[in-house]
Amino acid sequence: MAEPLLLRDARLVGSGPDPVDVLLRDGIITEIGAVVKVSGVRPVALDGRWLLSGLWDEHVHFTQWALMRQRLDISAATGAAHAAAMVRDHLAGAAAADHPLVGYGFRDGLWTDAPSREQLDAAAGARAVVLVSADLHSVWLNTAASVRFGVAAIDDVLREDAAFAVTRQLDEVPDALADRWAAEAAAAAARGVVGIVDLEMAWNATVWARRVAGGLRNLRVDAGIYPTELDRALREGLRTGDAVPGGDDLIRVGPFKILIDGSLNTRTACCRDRDADGANGWLTVSPDALLGLLRRAVAGGLVPAVHAIGDEAVRIALDTFAVLGSGGRMEHAQLVADADLPRFAALGVTASMQPEHAMDDRDVADRYWADRTGRAFPVGALWRAGATLALGSDAPVSPLDPWRGIAAAVSRSRDGLPPWHPEQTIPVAAALAASTRGRLIVPGAPADLVVLEQDPLTASPAQLRSMPVAATVLRGAVTAGTLPG
């Protein structure tokens, strides 16, 4: 257990300008106010720095985030030929290797030339190449990679389940190496992160218990469960919120995650109306199958989290929640019909959203959802309708840094561009609440805190995006940065 700390002269974000003292003992905030004299406690002078509850990223694919940091970044590719040239240039300076070259980050929704395996064959020859899209919903392979991963289809780009089958094979690296990369990726604590909801497609409870045993103790983790593991979870009696054995009370069972449609950039989000290319995506799970799976999960004590991006998928998910009467989470909700906005609050469905995606995909949305972008990424509309918001990054789709999402939520702008549908902004206080699980700095609350050099409530969007974090505290111990004194 961390040594007791007395944080002197801290300004609590949202509680006025007067500094207070905050006493941390046994991982808990035990006293707030003018703590005049306390024995056996290390005093720390914050000198008027701001104190905020620790940040949570509510939607992360953590192993993917760790792996992507080791891969070739092709996110700057402006077309298929450009991406292939980036592969060719990278291999020109690389030693020969038997393992596949893996790249990530391509967004082909606006490309004028279509990806083809012939382009990658010409760039890489016999070296297997797999390029993973930024949204993780498609992969582009050359012939050597298709043979290596047993892909029988001749499609140049694999989408949804076919793509996931390849990425699961890419994730098969030795545990020791994956855990070392995960420890490096856990540097997110330096941005004030104290917890994540890990929705990796794996049996996450065991993975995280192993990482904690190996010394990775600077994050709380809610470890998600997928349909392929539902039987095991129910058999072992796992319930959302329960501590995972071996997790040192840092790892808890997360939600039951199920995808029912695809994504915007992959053009597989299930929408009511056809897009500019005449497509309207598809469902990956039928409504009847969805209801059956969620009934089993809820009966077993698991909170459902439904991935739904297109407005038709959102409606189907809400209809299912209405039958269940259980509440839960909706992941993404990138396109929502006006009539469905108030249903989130009425049904107790949390909107787990990623505001930075609106900045990443604004041009793609304008291209494919041109007649409906006023209700795309509707963070503001859902907040005004009373929905509970939970903000995240979907890392590695966007970087694991909540301040980016907070800045996007309050500005709908990035890179000096005009705000995109500014009616969908929310106040800074609302974005902070959605990034801290609404937790307040009060006696009895966990001592999960972030010390800031600037008041986020008065910061500009640019300042929010690069918010200076002095230190992050988890269970009363510093996990990143340095406390003064």
Side-chain angles (χ1 to χ4, degrees), residues 142-169:
N142 69 349
T143 299
S146 297
V147 172
R148 185 181 187 116
F149 292 105
V151 177
I154 61 172
D155 294 332
D156 294 315
V157 176
L158 304 180
R159 305 184 191 279
E160 304 307 331
D161 288 344
F164 300 150
V166 173
T167 55
R168 277 194 293 269
Q169 294 182 69

Side-chain angles (χ1 to χ4, degrees), residues 430-466:
L432 293 176
S435 302
T436 58
R437 298 196 154 182
R439 290 175 177 166
L440 302 175
I441 299 177
V442 296
D448 299 348
L449 304 164
V450 55
V451 182
L452 304 173
E453 299 286 0
Q454 185 176 5
D455 182 0
L457 293 179
T458 61
S460 68
Q463 290 170 329
L464 283 170
R465 187 168 285 275
S466 60

